[in-house]
Amino acid sequence: MKALIADAINEKGIENLKEVADVVVDTSITPEELLETIGEYDGIIVRSRTKLPAETIAKADNLKIIARAGVGVDNIDVNAATEKGIMVVNAPESTSITVAEHTMGLILSAVRKIAIADESTKAGKWEKKRFMGMELKDKTLGVIGMGRIGSQVVNRCKAFQMDAIAYDPYLPADVAKQMGVELLDSKEELLKRADIITIHVPLTPETKHSISTAEFEIMKDTAFIFNCARGGIIDEDALYDALKEGKIGGAGLDVYEEEPAKENKLFELDNIVCTPHIAASTKEAQRDAAIIVADEMIDLFQGKMPKNIINMPRMDNSGFEDANDYLKVCDKLGSFLSQSTKGAIKELEIVYSGEIAELPNQELFTRTVLQGLLNPISDSGVNAVNARNIAKGRGIDITEAKNDNDKGYGSLVKLTAKTDEGEFSVIGTYLHEPTIININGYRVDVKPEGDMFIAKYKDVPGSIGAIGTKLGEYNVNVGIMQVGRDIQGGNAIMVLTLDNEAPKEALEEIKALSNVEDATSLKL
Ligand code: NAD
């Protein structure tokens, strides 16, 4: 096997790889040279300097693996790699400790006013009285997002004798218990109770501006908030007002709504500590990334399956012509279920019926369901290869069954999720496009695509109109409407395809309507 190291990586990774492959290190290779020579290699390791666009990948006739020594894969055309059957791997866990430590740095710097005290002391002011701090011992840490980084921050804060509470609706309670945190049902409760709030969630439509004016209102006026995740999760205008008006004690940011953040009104304030998106920048993180991806490449060269694969080479499902259509169905059903289910999913049952059930195994379909299910709540590239591991890590118990009752549709896929709040189910098929034919026992005919809205309500005169009117008040146009009910006057469900996204305020007002039990907006 022949491997190219195209960007500077830690020596240890190179050493390991040399034991199993001929390694060429050329960290100044130009795009033109790479285009010429890529066909010679079985594997390539890059960081962010080297770009692998579709035209380069098209020439990579022997390439089996592209390894990104880091996290983001923006410099690699992953779709082109997938098309060509090339595995793309990265090292998402390589920066977790480093980012957690940086978060601790911001916390200490903010609560003990270290950054501004440094500036003042070096200016010869010796302002001992100005910098009264706050001790962390016995204070409550509130973590929003208990994934790789959030859990490492908890570990570190425990050494400071802090109590830890967390909000992560996708984390099962027993996993949280093992991590030693009290898992809360509502973000609001966390915001009320926490002295130190730290954010470790991906930036998604759900998390964007999820900390804004209303959230600052309910925090303690001594609370501190930190964001080392992604800019845009905290509404910076609202943060500015909260800091300026003393609604909270202070803040620390490594990430900003606009980067590079060379001008930002937050920089005028002295109760905020700021760093330029460097939370992941340590030599150790870079070393670990190199070792992790070199090991992944070694595994593949030795016939083992790497762990952090972020794409999935095409698979042959000969005998079932509609396989690709049903992969789309599985992805959409998973995503629909994940966004419409309340509470953390503990059990997922997948039932295949009809032709799809006749295939010798449904593994790729199951993995695609999991990919759809996990992608809306993660930004770490869940795909058909790594989805099972990620689901297992989240404590989701998966069962699969097959039967021949296709109800005349040819093939059906039924997903049932169990959470602490109940059971949620969805059945889908392919009718020219992915189609949902049943939601929680209600018959529907829904194309899961774009902005959608789902509401449970009482089947009484005026309910449908009231929901439509509220959406209209917020300028949201309904494209397609589907309703289903159990009995006349009983419980009913409404699924809407919208021309534009329903704002949070519209959703809250709809939920408050007297005949509406619940409402959720979805992005498919
Ligand atoms: P992760 O996927 O391991 O964890 C994210 C957690 O957030 C998951 O447990 C998920 O269930 C939870 N979550 C998702 N949506 C949520 C919501 N609406 N409310 C509450 N919880 C929710 O990710 P990670 O590796 O821990 O990374 C966390 C964040 O840190 C990501 O945004 C990542 O991009 C960012 N990051 C920043 C830097 C930096 O340089 N500042 C470096 C690495 C990672």
Side-chain angles (χ1 to χ4, degrees):
M1 294 289 174
K2 195 169 171 189
L4 172 67
I5 295 179
D7 288 336
I9 64 161
N10 183 274
E11 202 54 43
K12 185 80 183 100
I14 305 177
E15 258 173 50
N16 293 355
L17 193 57
K18 276 187 177 162
E19 288 177 21
V20 302
D22 288 339
V23 179
V24 175
V25 181
D26 184 353
T27 55
S28 54
I29 192 164
T30 64
E32 297 72 29
E33 286 165 349
L34 189 61
L35 201 62
E36 283 278 295
T37 55
I38 187 99
E40 298 169 21
Y41 296 102
D42 299 282
I44 179 169
I45 297 185
V46 299
R47 284 182 57 208
S48 49
R49 185 197 72 97
T50 300
K51 312 278 179 259
L52 288 167
E55 61 163 337
T56 310
I57 288 172
K59 297 243 171 155
D61 290 335
N62 289 313
L63 206 62
K64 293 155 190 71
I65 180 168
I66 298 170
R68 159 76 166 103
V71 186
V73 288
D74 311 350
N75 52 327
I76 301 164
D77 190 327
V78 178
N79 287 335
T82 307
E83 274 300 304
K84 218 169 154 62
I86 302 167
M87 201 173 266
V88 181
V89 301
N90 67 347
E93 70 272 42
S94 60
T95 58
S96 307
I97 304 276
T98 275
V99 176
E101 287 186 0
H102 192 81
T103 308
M104 294 310 298
L106 287 187
I107 293 174
L108 287 168
S109 179
V111 300
R112 300 306 301 269
K113 305 185 168 54
I114 292 172
I116 45 165
D118 172 74
E119 205 181 299
S120 144
T121 308
K122 286 175 181 167
K125 294 188 188 159
W126 202 253
E127 300 176 287
K128 272 178 84 82
K129 290 210 176 97
R130 187 179 154 207
F131 303 119
M132 186 57 71
M134 178 178 95
E135 201 172 72
L136 292 179
K137 181 171 177 283
D138 296 333
K139 297 293 186 304
T140 299
L141 171 78
V143 182
I144 302 181
M146 272 294 289
R148 284 180 290 254
I149 298 170
S151 53
Q152 292 294 348
V153 173
V154 167
N155 289 344
R156 278 145 190 82
C157 284
K158 291 215 154 163
F160 281 83
Q161 297 171 275
M162 297 180 75
D163 297 321
I165 56 178
Y167 172 67
D168 187 331
Y170 307 106
L171 189 77
D174 45 349
V175 178
K177 204 168 165 198
Q178 280 164 18
M179 291 173 166
V181 288
E182 181 188 344
L183 189 65
L184 305 178
D185 289 336
S186 86
K187 187 177 70 189
E188 285 65 32
E189 189 185 346
L190 180 143
L191 298 176
K192 271 184 211 156
R193 284 174 53 189
D195 299 296
I196 302 288
I197 298 158
T198 184
I199 297 169
H200 302 288
V201 293
L203 177 65
T204 63
E206 190 189 359
T207 60
K208 181 156 195 251
H209 283 191
S210 56
I211 302 291
S212 190
T213 312
E215 285 72 26
F216 287 117
E217 286 294 338
I218 56 178
M219 290 177 200
K220 294 181 185 178
D221 58 12
T222 50
F224 283 76
I225 186 160
F226 299 89
N227 185 7
C228 284
R230 282 288 176 263
I233 298 170
I234 299 182
D235 174 349
E236 285 181 3
D237 286 334
L239 174 64
Y240 178 85
D241 293 342
L243 287 168
K244 188 123 183 140
E245 292 160 18
K247 290 217 157 84
I248 58 169
L253 296 184
D254 184 52
V255 288
Y256 306 86
E257 293 198 23
E258 255 181 54
E259 293 184 12
K262 293 195 174 165
E263 280 173 23
N264 187 319
K265 62 181 174 182
L266 287 165
F267 300 163
E268 296 162 15
L269 306 173
D270 64 8
N271 49 354
I272 182 165
V273 185
C274 297
T275 51
H277 204 145
I278 51 164
S281 306
T282 62
K283 284 191 180 137
E284 290 79 2
Q286 286 179 6
R287 177 202 60 203
D288 290 352
I291 295 172
I292 289 168
V293 294
D295 285 350
E296 295 279 63
M297 195 172 275
I298 292 166
D299 274 352
L300 185 78
F301 287 171
Q302 294 184 332
K304 290 183 232 147
M305 185 62 104
K307 287 181 287 296
N308 298 312
I309 309 169
I310 65 153
N311 67 341
M312 177 77 185
R314 255 201 317 220
M315 269 201 186
D316 184 17
N317 277 289
S318 43
F320 183 47
E321 278 177 17
D322 302 335
N324 281 332
D325 296 339
Y326 275 88
L327 287 175
K328 287 185 205 145
V329 171
C330 289
D331 189 40
K332 291 286 185 189
L333 288 183
S335 181
F336 188 90
L337 191 71
S338 154
Q339 296 180 64
S340 55
T341 298
K342 300 277 169 232
I345 298 177
K346 291 181 151 175
E347 288 173 42
L348 175 71
E349 185 192 55
I350 309 173
V351 182
Y352 298 100
S353 312
E355 234 183 299
I356 192 170
E358 287 166 20
L359 284 171
N361 79 69
Q362 286 66 36
E363 183 60 19
L364 184 55
F365 297 99
T366 295
R367 285 169 178 247
T368 307
V369 165
L370 296 174
Q371 165 190 302
L373 192 87
L374 295 166
N375 256 329
I377 58 170
S378 172
D379 66 356
S380 51
V382 184
N383 70 26
V385 180
N386 56 17
R388 253 197 202 275
N389 286 352
I390 295 177
K392 198 169 158 212
R394 284 169 178 274
I396 302 176
D397 194 9
I398 302 151
T399 53
E400 289 149 278
K402 302 195 233 184
N403 63 44
D404 55 11
N405 184 10
D406 67 2
K407 298 186 173 129
Y409 283 97
S411 290
L412 287 177
V413 181
K414 177 176 182 186
L415 310 183
T416 308
K418 284 189 191 149
T419 77
D420 284 339
E421 300 194 28
E423 207 170 279
F424 302 84
S425 69
V426 59
I427 305 178
T429 188
Y430 194 84
L431 300 172
H432 307 294
E433 54 190 311
T435 306
I436 294 176
I437 59 159
N438 194 298
I439 300 169
N440 287 341
Y442 299 100
R443 263 204 262 164
V444 292
D445 176 6
V446 169
K447 310 292 175 202
E449 193 59 59
D451 285 306
M452 298 189 70
F453 170 91
I454 176 164
K456 280 198 251 171
Y457 62 98
K458 280 263 161 280
D459 180 35
V460 293
S463 300
I464 295 177
I467 296 173
T469 305
K470 275 284 167 230
L471 288 170
E473 281 169 16
Y474 281 90
N475 233 355
V476 179
N477 196 40
V478 176
I480 300 169
M481 175 194 273
Q482 275 281 315
V483 290
R485 59 182 180 186
D486 46 13
I487 49 161
Q488 191 180 348
N491 295 314
I493 194 164
M494 170 194 285
V495 187
L496 306 177
T497 305
L498 306 175
D499 289 345
N500 48 323
E501 192 180 349
K504 274 186 193 153
E505 297 79 3
L507 213 61
E508 291 310 318
E509 287 184 30
I510 290 171
K511 279 191 205 165
L513 292 170
S514 59
N515 289 317
V516 174
E517 202 186 304
D518 201 7
T520 316
S521 74
L522 300 84
K523 220 176 224 337
L524 272 305

